[in-house]
Structures are given as C-alpha cells and as structure tokens.
Amino acid sequence: MRIITISREFGSGGRELGKRLADALGYDYYDNEIISQIAKNLGLDEDYIENTLSNHNWQDFTLTYNETIGSSYYDQMDKVNLLIEQKNVIEKIATLGKNFVIVGRNADIILEKYEPFNIFVCASMESKIKRCLERKNKDKSYTKKVLEQKIKKIDKNRSRTRQLMSDLTWGNPQNYHLTVNTSNIRIASLIPAVSSYVNNWFSEKEKSTENNQ
Amino acid sequence: MRIITISREFGSGGRELGKRLADALGYDYYDNEIISQIAKNLGLDEDYIENTLSNHNWQDFTLTYNETIGSSYYDQMDKVNLLIEQKNVIEKIATLGKNFVIVGRNADIILEKYEPFNIFVCASMESKIKRCLERKNKDKSYTKKVLEQKIKKIDKNRSRTRQLMSDLTWGNPQNYHLTVNTSNIRIASLIPAVSSYVNNWFSEKEKSTENNQ
C-alpha cells in the first residue's frame, strides 16, 4: 500500500496538488470525506465538525461561537474529542489497504507506521494571497491585509495542533520527503514530475525492503 | 539560459545530486572550478582559498590557523575578500550564457536576477552521518558524535555566511523552489524526477514570459 500525505500552508494550493496527484496516480483521495465519516460516527453536524477542526476559526473563537455553544473550555474539549475521532477514521482508511492521498489532518504523523510519502507545500505570502483571491469563496471579500492575517493565523493553528501529536515541527523540511514551493507556478504543471518523484521513491523503498528480506 | 543552484546541508549528498543533475540535463557544472579561477585571479594557493571559503574550518579557527597566519581580524578580512572574488567569478560564469548547475556559494542570491531554479537538499542527522562515513575521505576517522558536531558547525557557518548577503534564511523552504530530503534514498534514483520537475518549471516560466510579451 502506498500512502501520500500532503501538509500545506493555507493558500499554497496544497489541496489542489493532492487532488491532482491522486487523479494522476489513480489513488483514492481523502479530504472532506473524513468529516462526513466523523459526522456519521458521532451523530454530529458536518458544518460544526468542519468549523471546529478546520482551524478556519481564525478570528478569536470567543467572539464568534462562545455565546451560543458554551465556554471556551468545552469548545477545546470538543476539539480534542473530534481530533481523536478524526484519528480513528484516518487509521480505519489505512486498514482498507488501498493506495491513497490524504490532505492535512496531521495524517503524516497518524499514519507513520505505514511509512507514507510526506509532501509539504509552501508558497510566498504574495502568491498565497493571490490564490485566495482567485478562489470562488468568501476569501474574495477580504482585503489583502486581512487575508495575510488570516493565512498567518490558520497556519499558526495548524502548527499548534500538530504540536499536540508530535515533536516533528510543522513545515520543517527535514520532516517531509519533498517540499514544493508553488509560488508563481500552475499546480497542474508540477504533477507529472511530482508523480514521478513519488513513484521512484516507493519503488526504491520497496526494492530495498525486498533485498533485506 | 537556465541556471540551477543547489544549496545543501553538509552530508546530505547535495553535491552528488548537483553533479548528476548536470549530467542528466547536459548542463555545465560548477563547483571546485570556481576555486581554481579565484586562485588564478588572485595568485593565491587553491588549498588556502578552499579552506577559508569552504566553512570546513569547523573547529575553532583560532586553534588551528591563527598562529601561522595572523590575527583572526585579518583572517576574517581574507574571508570577506575571497567571498567578493567568488561573487565576481560566479557572475562571470553567468555572462557565458550557457545552462549550468552550481553547488553552494550562495549562488541563488548572487544570480537572483537570472531567476535560477533553486534546490535545497536536506536529510536526517542519522542519514548525513552515514553519508559522511561512506565517503572516501578523512571523515571516516571521526566518531559519530564528532561528525554530528562537525555537520552542525559547518551548516551554522553556511547559514551565517548567507546572512552576510541576504535576509532570505538558509534552509527555509519558502526561499527555494524545491526542497529534497535525501534520507535513506539513493541520490541517483531521484534524478529523473528532479530533472523533469526542473524542466517543467522552466518551460512554464518561459511560456508565461512569452505570453506577457
């Protein structure tokens, strides 16, 4: 089984890279499917799970959710519980034994024992802001300054959530097999070479495993 | 003209990657040729230049060279003068107009206006020590502990020399187009995919330049 994990800075196009890579390689692709599964398992609303897990609650949580949902202590407990359930779902996916690409969710840490190929996707702030503005979503309505603040906050949250699970620092290239900078380049144009890199890497590793047996 | 610069952690196999990449792409390759040219230009000994520039004087300089060469102030001036001459030589190479790969020497900064493709090569400490021990040189005689100390010191020097020339932090993946982790993998096996990545990147960029004209 070959697993590719994609970690990425917000706005770097990591999700697009993951999806296109899965398509090119004929692998399964997991992203929001995981949220749906958690929702089903726990009988909770998908939007609520998405909001709590996504780190997109980049504006201070207390200002937006607390009055309806409760104290920030309980919100944090909810987040921890959801992270545990997310971990369960991801581990379940791996037991299916099929090749897959998974985006975010600290899957590189959770799936470590399966020796996945781990990609980190980064880009310059200018390029990340540009990508956010091109997306067909609410990011369009933000000013560049507010977008930059949002990007930094989301990435800080991603980095902190990772600290819960591992000492391997988020975004440090030593902790990934390949780190791709998507500044000023079409994601689609990178896919043939990244696919080829990943295929070579797995072939090499499988060869050396065979030789050691 | 297409230029590829390779920055690398000591022991990561970056030099081998650069040489093999140049061979695969049919590019010129610059590494110690630069030292020879500086020696010729300045009428100095190649070994002296190599030692002063290479950052391999990882043991405290005062303990090994000072008594014969002079005070550390003059050594530092020598180093700055040599860095300037190295910069001149590298800029001269670029005026030849031929495709080339260049390893180290902050060439990514020096050649910035030519928009080179910049690769950073890293690896786990364990893997870097292993590569040093496999090399046919004096590294073989060091213990693992001393080698680790050497690797850290050389990389610290590389990082500091870079600070002289740029605010773009050494080893930060935002400052390179591709960051390759060579832990537990044969360098040769990575070359087809890295070549293909570089070729795609240049084609894309040249296409978008044509469209903008």
Side-chain angles (χ1 to χ4, degrees):
Chain A
M1 176 173 54
R2 295 177 172 190
I3 302 173
I4 302 170
T5 76
I6 314 274
S7 309
R8 78 291 187 209
E9 293 174 353
F10 186 78
S12 67
R15 175 170 284 171
E16 183 186 341
L17 190 141
K19 184 75 184 78
R20 286 184 182 275
L21 198 58
D23 287 348
L25 294 167
Y27 286 18
D28 287 347
Y29 174 76
Y30 289 99
D31 186 3
N32 285 330
E33 297 76 4
I34 294 165
I35 301 292
S36 311
Q37 192 56 51
I38 299 171
K40 213 173 135 192
N41 293 357
L42 300 182
L44 288 171
D45 178 63
E46 286 192 25
D47 284 345
Y48 169 69
I49 297 171
E50 172 84 49
N51 275 326
T52 310
L53 282 180
S54 67
N55 295 316
H56 283 221
N57 43 339
W58 58 284
Q59 286 164 324
D60 201 339
F61 204 85
T62 50
L63 291 175
T64 50
Y65 283 82
N66 272 0
E67 289 169 38
T68 49
I69 298 181
S71 81
S72 93
Y73 173 77
Y74 286 104
D75 294 336
Q76 290 311 309
M77 281 312 296
D78 267 3
K79 175 137 184 173
V80 170
N81 287 335
L82 287 180
L83 284 169
I84 292 168
E85 187 58 28
Q86 178 168 263
K87 189 161 176 274
N88 292 339
V89 170
I90 291 170
E91 281 168 348
K92 198 76 176 265
I93 292 168
T95 63
L96 299 175
K98 293 177 68 185
N99 299 338
F100 66 95
V101 173
I102 180 166
V103 174
R105 302 161 208 283
N106 294 297
D108 54 329
I109 304 298
I110 295 168
L111 301 173
E112 203 176 359
K113 67 174 169 186
Y114 296 100
E115 302 185 31
F117 184 87
N118 303 317
I119 300 178
F120 189 81
V121 185
C122 68
S124 68
M125 183 54 75
E126 194 190 345
S127 163
K128 288 186 286 193
I129 290 173
K130 200 166 156 243
R131 275 216 172 80
C132 287
L133 289 171
E134 285 163 3
R135 284 179 189 161
K136 284 176 194 146
N137 65 15
K138 62 179 180 180
D139 288 346
K140 267 189 182 313
S141 61
Y142 295 127
T143 63
K144 285 189 180 183
K145 203 176 160 184
V146 173
L147 263 179
E148 178 167 347
Q149 191 191 348
K150 174 178 172 172
I151 290 168
K152 284 183 180 163
K153 191 71 185 283
I154 290 176
D155 283 351
K156 198 177 163 195
N157 284 341
R158 284 180 178 168
S159 166
R160 279 167 62 196
T161 310
R162 189 179 170 98
Q163 282 182 345
L164 270 178
M165 309 179 76
S166 171
D167 291 334
L168 300 174
T169 320
W170 185 83
N172 178 340
Q174 289 241 357
N175 302 330
Y176 305 90
H177 298 99
L178 191 68
T179 304
V180 174
N181 186 333
T182 57
S183 305
N184 309 315
I185 194 98
R186 282 187 314 125
I187 303 285
S189 75
L190 305 175
I191 301 303
V194 174
S195 311
S196 144
Y197 196 102
V198 174
N199 277 333
N200 278 336
W201 188 86
F202 278 115
S203 304
E204 272 286 308
K205 208 163 59 76
E206 286 154 8
K207 226 189 298 168
S208 82
T209 311
E210 280 165 24
N211 291 342
N212 290 339
Q213 272 169 356
Chain B
M1 178 172 54
R2 294 177 172 191
I3 302 174
I4 302 169
T5 76
I6 314 274
S7 309
R8 78 292 187 207
E9 293 174 352
F10 187 78
S12 67
R15 176 170 283 171
E16 182 187 342
L17 190 140
K19 183 77 183 79
R20 287 183 182 275
L21 198 58
D23 288 348
L25 294 167
Y27 286 18
D28 288 346
Y29 173 77
Y30 290 98
D31 185 2
N32 286 330
E33 298 75 7
I34 293 165
I35 301 291
S36 312
Q37 192 57 51
I38 299 171
K40 213 173 136 192
N41 293 357
L42 301 182
L44 288 171
D45 179 61
E46 286 192 24
D47 284 344
Y48 169 70
I49 296 170
E50 173 85 47
N51 275 326
T52 310
L53 282 180
S54 67
N55 295 318
H56 283 220
N57 44 340
W58 57 285
Q59 285 162 326
D60 200 339
F61 204 84
T62 50
L63 291 175
T64 50
Y65 282 81
N66 273 359
E67 289 169 36
T68 49
I69 300 183
S71 81
S72 93
Y73 173 75
Y74 285 105
D75 295 337
Q76 290 311 310
M77 281 312 295
D78 267 3
K79 176 137 183 173
V80 169
N81 287 335
L82 287 180
L83 284 170
I84 292 168
E85 187 58 28
Q86 179 168 262
K87 189 163 176 272
N88 292 338
V89 170
I90 291 170
E91 280 168 348
K92 198 77 175 263
I93 292 167
T95 62
L96 298 175
K98 293 176 68 185
N99 299 338
F100 65 96
V101 174
I102 181 166
V103 174
R105 302 160 209 283
N106 294 299
D108 55 329
I109 304 297
I110 295 168
L111 300 173
E112 202 176 0
K113 68 174 167 186
Y114 296 100
E115 301 186 31
F117 184 87
N118 303 317
I119 301 178
F120 189 81
V121 186
C122 68
S124 67
M125 183 54 76
E126 194 191 346
S127 163
K128 288 186 283 194
I129 291 173
K130 199 167 157 243
R131 277 217 170 80
C132 288
L133 290 171
E134 285 164 2
R135 284 179 189 162
K136 285 177 192 145
N137 65 14
K138 62 179 181 179
D139 288 346
K140 267 188 184 309
S141 61
Y142 294 127
T143 63
K144 286 190 179 182
K145 203 175 160 184
V146 174
L147 263 179
E148 179 166 346
Q149 192 192 345
K150 175 178 171 171
I151 290 168
K152 283 183 180 163
K153 191 71 185 282
I154 291 176
D155 283 351
K156 197 176 164 196
N157 284 341
R158 285 180 179 169
S159 166
R160 278 167 62 195
T161 309
R162 189 179 170 98
Q163 281 182 345
L164 270 178
M165 309 179 76
S166 172
D167 291 333
L168 301 175
T169 319
W170 185 84
N172 177 340
Q174 289 241 357
N175 302 329
Y176 305 89
H177 298 99
L178 190 68
T179 303
V180 174
N181 187 332
T182 57
S183 305
N184 310 314
I185 193 100
R186 282 186 316 125
I187 303 285
S189 76
L190 305 175
I191 301 302
V194 175
S195 311
S196 143
Y197 196 102
V198 175
N199 277 334
N200 278 336
W201 188 86
F202 278 116
S203 304
E204 271 286 307
K205 208 163 59 75
E206 287 155 8
K207 224 188 299 168
S208 82
T209 312
E210 279 164 27
N211 290 344
N212 289 339
Q213 272 167 358

